[in-house]
């Protein structure tokens, strides 16, 4: 199975960090292929940036849809997720959705822990989108600053661990959100009395599971591919895909 | 007051239709200036198309933010609405949100009537986004075909009227959704025993009201303008705006 | 357009305060006519008082329905709102409902700030009635006393500003509730990092918008005028109106 | 125990019908004393009528609060219920609330059956007010006309039984709503494969239970008696009660 | 009326405590018969223990269904409640459900107070099961330890009273949960500015009310007795009951 | 990895059917070991049967907890799931929960299709328990009878396919529920314009994913193992496990 890890951020070190964490849980028969966006932002962290990144994600996927069995959109906030599911018939997985759904199978209540309070309202919109507010215990953040997004997992390790402990008094499962702290969950797991979840690991295993289930794209439902439509100004091959001038080559990658 | 009617569809006749309907309710001191997208789709009607259009809307707004007092995103599904509110400090209004909020002030339950069942699930996601499911009575569509999106208001007038009557047995307010049927509400109002609402009219009056309220953009909350950020590959002037190399000239258009 | 500002409280200074704030945002073509209740309470602040005031509001409206184009019920808690909408076919707007619906168009989460914790549970019932609990961030009150309802805006200005700042860490929009602090939002807007909303201004612009939309009363739905019914002991002209011995003179005030 | 059955409708035959049904389930030590409103409507059936009746109910209760141990507001829609609970410290029970809460203890899902589709939206607002939408299966009405409100239980017996059977395919418990069909549940119980509930019986037993529990009025919470307040134009003894010029004589009726 | 108080815990002193409190509110014509489980746990306090106790409850009920008019499952968490309602046609009442439903008739918001934070998440699942999250103000516990479950009402009286006062700032009604503190509500009622509720008293009066209503088991709905079914390894007489080899002797205990 | 498929029904042919379907999607490194209950019911289909089966499931798991890496409770309704998660620290997966969570990643709305309307209310309680009512489109059943639970997949293939098509007009994903129709989804997938889901396949892949994530049991949260407790009358080794006289031998099966 060929699995695309699509990082919509333009920072290569984040991609590396995410791929390392994902590979730790993926079974050996999965070939994980990470790519990093060339256009967009170093680190997506607002509604506007998600909106812009979401359109770019569709373009990147249109380009690669025939080379992969499944894809992960590897940024919290899942830019372009619903649109990608509608447009393409390979399984597409979002990091925040996968983390939330996995948490629901590990306890009654889940919480987010992240490194910046700035992101909390936007993170919580992911919970609303998934429709599981009744099982959400809130977003917890440390009162600590950091110098660089790349070093946040190292610099804030102690305050983040304490924040996780605080979250654990309200939740059965704690999701450590944000690509810059991917991998941290494993390092601090035994210091926190709750189940810790690393979103990229949840996403990787979700993608594997959906591929094994072979869910064919709905061919008439609300997530079926929309009818062919002309467009203006869109990048190739996205415009071709939307105009049905290209299609997915079935069978090519359908084995494990 | 200068009000931008931004049609993210590329079809000029839809823009004309929307502007005509909006002007019917706007007070004389509002100058409505309609523009039509050059890039994108003739008529946005799927999640993927909204995703792509949303990014284009931000670019169109960045270009014009200093020439207007308020803006309407004139496509159902409100492409780019939350992102635009975060990024710009002029009032930005979405057609579906404005219609829903106005309906809530005219009765207990509202319904959508539209011309194609294909669009129903996507329309209903707007209700979920607004968080008012408990007051929504469903989407109703006629069992009738149409030849062209431009003629649907004329060709389906009778079946749409009957559909509105059916919706009226479940709802106090009926929203006639979709740019192609803008203006129809007025024509059939006396044939339907419910309040009929034309979304572009609701949006136009919403924009007027928000402008009169002078709501300054939050300068620290979750909808404040995000910190300056470099980006790659974004069109000018959107990238400049996001990098805070341009700002809104306050005061210039702040009078009515 | 002739707009009735109906203050169900018996305190004239509150009416003046509300009218001043409303006039600041209304366009020049609207003639605002404030009246103050003769019967009832100096300041409505409990469920029982709303219940009693609601009945009085219907009576006051029945008396004036033919002289106005729209009406505002200018007390938080919206006494008699749904009943008035059912009974009369001019647009009737409530201060709390208008503030809530306007807040929903200015951010994801809104909060109330008011001057007395006593009122919080009752205020929150307005959110439940509107069906938007998922977007509500709570009611915030200062820990400070005041001597007189008339001076509360002045005496508590500093504690209320601080309370608004506290609310702003949880909400994008802060609604300053209660007639005694009408107008305060404008004075402290630049000290608070959130959008501040003055309910009477929201209500005034809502009434203007609904009048421009010309929403005819539903003539068969759940908000249509109930069938003629005899009654005993009701004040004139309310009993006549309910018995259909009087009707609204259409057309008389239908121009702007 | 002295239990007041307060019928806010002005029709004596409805009072008789309700009292007969209530007495069937009340234990012998309860003395039920029914009264009929002198002012108001023959049969309350709209939001406006509930609003007006609610104020009258408070007045009737203020007059009798010292002669009773508990009171039932015997009209669907519970006019004045929350206000009465706030104002008086004897247990006050509403017919629709009591029926809904009792239904929740007899099955997962409950439905309403009533004689007129006109009332459905208003009935459903009671469910929303109680906050139990997730357990509500809808309102079912027969497609049949009736001549007089007094004879509806007799004239529509067959269509109502069939409607109950239809409701039983969606609900575990069926509430037969509306004073005019009080008592019918018992007559048709063995023809319907669901639990049938008569609201006045649920209310009578609720009042008995709350009296036995001796719930003292909260003396500081949101349902505690509001501070003394002057008023204008209110009927005696309501104005005296609200001004704290009268109080409940504790102990007088506190025995069973 | 013969009312079974079934304590699924194996501790006799808890049964005594519960029976004493229940008898205080039951009318004289009710004969309360308490029994204590022989198998299971001294004090049920986890999901696993509720699961196991629930099966035992069914067995105990099958044994006694013909000797009683109604039954109370006297442990918080209501082990086996829905299953018992489905299987048997006498009214079965749960302590937590009865307390919650009674609280809804005494105020807008209710809270739990209990003696151990360990139990909070599990208690809150009862609120979710009942579907009334929107009226729940949370679970409050003291920061105090206790030596023995039997003495907790005495040892923690002061901290529990303070906790109730804290809860009263968020709720109109406070439910004192857990069999070990049955009866405490009465002792501290005048020290807390909210309505205090003792769950076993609510349950006892609920059982009385449901018996007076004579709700026959639905004979076709989702809570009707399931079709006869063979089983393996179940204790007698539960297996006979499920196989319809035994039935309830109607009429035997149908008088008060 | 050793994965236990625990069928709480006593019918061996159902176990075979479920194991066959699960093996189709599991990767080769997973050894699936199915067992069938000796005590209980041939086919669990009511709340009472789930209650009884849930207790038996705990006993079966206590017996085997040291020989497996993860376990599937293979009956719709997930008997004993929350209790098992609390008690044991290996991943435990329920068939209905896994199907629901997987469906949420494949579309906006999901529906159930099953072979008997009798089961619908009980099935829908699973949706409520998961807290995702807002994404549920209902339960659909054919109007057709069947002779034996073992042959239902064959006998009702045509009506079930048509029912799936009907469900597909309301939902993006259709879950084919009930062990007797395990495997059917694959056979009819190309006849239905929606994504079809086989719950046992979803559960098998869920168990694999949770094992790969190595979620340690929370050691202090609400799903941590309860403190040691004595019990009476429980089967060995469940009583030993609850008394902490036995523990999970960590490390033994911790490799894949």
């Amino acid at each position: 199975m060929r699995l695309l890890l699509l990082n919509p951020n333009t920072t290569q070190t984040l991609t590396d960090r995410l791929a390392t964490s994902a590979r730790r849980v993926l079974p050996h028969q999965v070939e994980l292929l990470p790519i990093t966006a060339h256009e967009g932002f170093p680190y997506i962290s607002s509604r506007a940036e998600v909106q812009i990144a979401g359109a770019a994600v569709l373009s990147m996927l249109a380009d690669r849809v025939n080379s992969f069995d499944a894809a992960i959109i590897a940024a919290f906030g899942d830019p372009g997720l619903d649109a990608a599911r509608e447009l393409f018939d390979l399984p597409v997985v979002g990091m925040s959705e996968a983390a939330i759904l996995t948490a629901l199978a590990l306890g009654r209540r889940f919480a987010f822990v992240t490194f910046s309070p700035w992101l909390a309202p936007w993170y919580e919109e992911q919970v609303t989108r998934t429709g599981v507010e009744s099982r959400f215990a809130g977003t917890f953040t440390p009162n600590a600053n950091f110098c660089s997004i790349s070093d946040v997992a190292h610099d804030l390790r102690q305050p983040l661990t304490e924040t996780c402990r605080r979250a654990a008094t309200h939740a059965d499962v704690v999701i450590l959100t944000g690509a810059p702290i991917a991998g941290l969950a494993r390092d601090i797991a035994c210091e926190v009395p709750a189940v810790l979840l690393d979103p990229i690991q949840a996403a990787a295993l979700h993608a594997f599971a959906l591929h094994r289930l072979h869910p064919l794209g709905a061919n008439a439902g609300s997530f079926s591919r929309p009818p062919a439509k002309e467009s203006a100004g869109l990048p190739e091959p996205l415009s071709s895909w939307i105009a049905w001038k290209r299609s997915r080559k079935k069978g090519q990658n359908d084995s494990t």
Side-chain angles (χ1 to χ4, degrees), chain A:
Chain A
M1 176 198 177
R2 286 169 58 85
L3 173 57
L4 175 64
L5 188 161
L6 192 166
N7 180 10
N9 301 295
T10 58
T11 308
Q12 176 70 38
T13 55
L14 290 182
T15 316
D16 298 344
R17 192 170 184 100
L18 291 163
T20 303
S21 186
R23 284 196 181 105
R24 242 176 230 138
V25 296
L26 279 170
H28 61 82
Q29 61 265 55
V30 181
E31 189 184 357
L32 184 78
L33 297 110
I35 60 166
T36 306
H38 290 305
E39 305 194 340
F41 305 93
Y43 182 59
I44 296 163
S45 60
S46 75
R47 296 173 186 91
E49 292 156 23
V50 165
Q51 176 71 57
I52 294 165
V57 159
L58 297 184
S59 210
M60 293 167 79
L61 280 173
D63 225 7
R64 287 158 182 89
V65 65
N66 277 320
S67 316
F68 289 93
D69 297 304
I72 299 167
I73 302 175
F76 216 79
D78 302 346
L81 180 61
D82 279 343
R85 274 195 188 135
E86 186 187 72
L87 218 45
F88 307 111
D89 57 2
L90 84 174
V92 186
V93 166
M95 235 165 84
S96 43
E97 187 191 79
I100 290 169
L101 295 180
T102 302
L104 296 179
L106 290 166
R108 255 330 279 178
R109 299 208 144 220
F110 70 96
F112 289 143
V113 163
T114 192
F115 49 90
S116 162
W118 170 270
L119 304 173
W122 173 57
Y123 274 25
E124 298 184 1
E125 289 169 26
Q126 314 309 317
V127 179
T128 304
R129 193 173 64 91
T130 312
V132 292
E133 297 90 332
S134 64
R135 298 184 62 181
F136 179 55
T139 303
F140 298 81
T141 52
N143 284 321
N145 295 316
F146 55 93
C147 303
S148 135
I149 224 55
S150 313
D151 299 330
V152 68
H154 180 265
D155 292 0
L156 295 192
R157 183 186 159 131
Q158 194 48 35
L160 281 168
T161 307
E162 274 153 31
T163 305
C164 285
R165 271 198 222 108
R166 193 156 46 92
T169 66
H170 297 84
D172 306 308
V173 184
V174 175
I175 301 175
L176 277 154
T177 54
I181 55 172
L184 183 63
R186 196 180 71 143
D187 295 345
I188 63 174
C190 47
E191 299 175 54
V192 179
V195 179
L196 294 193
L197 209 54
D198 188 343
I200 191 65
Q201 295 190 335
L205 289 163
H206 244 240
F208 177 71
L210 297 190
H211 172 63
R212 297 293 307 188
L213 283 173
H214 295 297
L216 302 171
N219 58 31
S222 95
F223 274 86
S224 63
R225 189 175 176 181
K229 191 174 279 194
E230 292 304 311
S231 63
L234 263 61
E236 271 294 335
L238 184 57
S239 58
S240 295
W241 181 270
I242 289 173
W244 284 69
K245 290 178 186 148
R246 292 174 61 241
S247 273
R248 182 146 149 84
K249 292 177 198 117
K250 289 280 171 70
Q252 192 177 311
N253 299 293
D254 275 3
S255 59
T256 310

